[in-house]
Amino acid sequence: MSADILIVDDETAIADLVEVYLKNEGYSVHKFYTGAEALECVRAGKIDLAILDVMLPDIDGFTICQRIREEGHMFPVLMLTAKVEDMDKIMGLTLGADDYITKPFNPLELVARVKTQLRRYTRYNSGAAGQKKPEEFDFRGLQISRDTHKCLLFGEELQLTPLEFSILWYLCQNRGRVVSSEELFESVWGERYMDSNNTVMSHIARLREKMHEPSRRPKFIKTVWGVGYTIE
């Protein structure tokens, strides 16, 4: 189903590139290079999702996001930022953004995140959310379903063993929380955790490899040293 997507970025090359990829997916695109024009568009018509650059010549993306929420618009907002500091990301999410992506980025990853946010928004507005425990997780291009026992990353199916699937599913169930090696082992393997955590470490390493995760700066499964693992 088509959706109306707002793009605002003063870097014309980036805005034009994103427009091409989104139009190729069948979306209607409203593209602007200033924050003022973007807000006029939001107030004038129906927008299903907004992609906002943080650094703009007139109104910064954080302010635009804040005004969108203050005016009662609840569609998903995705922030584009050239800054990598955690505080910038936290600020965007605090002001009502649903997701963020750091420049430079892969356009296919951006499209995947757009699709994820639109699906989540559609399910929420249909009233289906909150009925039961989720049988599927879908965020940032990662889709994992317990019903089909399949996992897709940016549209590509990952060939996971049942154990690898169970590890990833458990981490997704506890997204945002640090899961200790002991908890992960006892929940997935169903056995008592012993002194060594090499088993967990080796399976996490293989799982990251299948997800094409860089070992030093993984995007999905992150290590909290001395504590455990988390998916943000």
Side-chain angles (χ1 to χ4, degrees):
M1 185 174 66
S2 181
D4 288 88
I5 298 180
L6 168 68
I7 301 171
V8 54
D9 195 318
D10 63 330
E11 295 185 66
T12 58
I14 292 179
D16 294 346
L17 179 65
V18 173
E19 178 184 29
V20 169
Y21 273 84
L22 291 176
K23 283 188 172 180
N24 285 342
E25 295 292 329
Y27 297 120
S28 297
V29 176
H30 307 265
K31 180 181 63 177
F32 301 98
Y33 304 118
T34 68
E37 293 174 310
L39 284 173
E40 288 181 10
C41 178
V42 169
R43 293 161 180 162
K46 184 179 181 298
I47 295 295
D48 297 299
L49 181 142
I51 301 173
L52 310 177
D53 185 27
V54 170
M55 302 301 292
L56 294 168
D58 55 346
I59 309 171
D60 66 79
F62 293 142
T63 301
I64 297 173
C65 179
Q66 186 175 23
R67 291 186 185 177
I68 286 173
R69 296 302 184 226
E70 288 175 348
E71 294 176 12
H73 304 288
M74 300 309 297
F75 54 75
V77 173
L78 195 157
M79 307 295 297
L80 299 179
T81 174
K83 298 181 179 181
V84 297
E85 291 85 354
D86 288 340
M87 189 55 65
D88 293 311
K89 300 170 184 177
I90 293 171
M91 181 182 294
L93 297 175
T94 301
L95 293 174
D98 298 277
D99 201 358
Y100 62 85
I101 189 166
T102 304
K103 298 178 181 178
F105 55 83
N106 184 332
L108 293 177
E109 180 180 354
L110 177 61
V111 170
R113 295 202 191 184
V114 166
K115 291 181 178 179
T116 295
Q117 292 299 331
L118 287 174
R119 280 194 294 267
R120 182 179 298 148
Y121 183 58
T122 300
R123 286 200 299 266
Y124 177 81
N125 286 320
S126 69
Q131 298 293 322
K132 58 181 180 178
K133 291 184 178 180
E135 298 297 322
E136 177 180 331
F137 293 97
D138 186 344
F139 59 93
R140 295 175 55 201
L142 176 66
Q143 296 171 261
I144 183 169
S145 171
R146 189 160 58 180
D147 288 337
T148 63
H149 221 264
K150 289 185 177 181
C151 179
L152 303 178
L153 184 62
F154 305 132
E156 177 186 355
E157 184 173 352
L158 302 180
Q159 301 301 318
L160 303 181
T161 66
L163 195 57
E164 290 166 347
F165 181 93
S166 297
I167 293 170
L168 187 57
W169 177 262
Y170 192 81
L171 290 174
C172 287
Q173 275 186 311
N174 293 275
R175 184 185 176 198
R177 184 174 72 84
V178 179
V179 177
S180 68
S181 296
E182 179 179 357
E183 177 186 344
L184 188 58
F185 185 88
E186 293 184 353
S187 298
V188 173
W189 275 262
E191 302 174 11
R192 186 173 180 179
Y193 183 80
M194 304 304 289
D195 293 336
S196 174
N197 66 352
N198 289 337
T199 300
V200 174
M201 288 176 60
S202 62
H203 280 81
I204 290 290
R206 283 199 291 269
L207 189 52
R208 283 173 172 161
E209 183 177 357
K210 290 186 176 182
M211 296 174 71
H212 311 295
E213 288 263 68
S215 58
R216 293 187 177 276
R217 299 187 66 181
K219 287 187 175 181
F220 289 94
I221 303 175
K222 300 190 176 182
T223 301
V224 180
W225 295 109
V227 184
Y229 304 94
T230 184
I231 286 185
E232 296 181 346

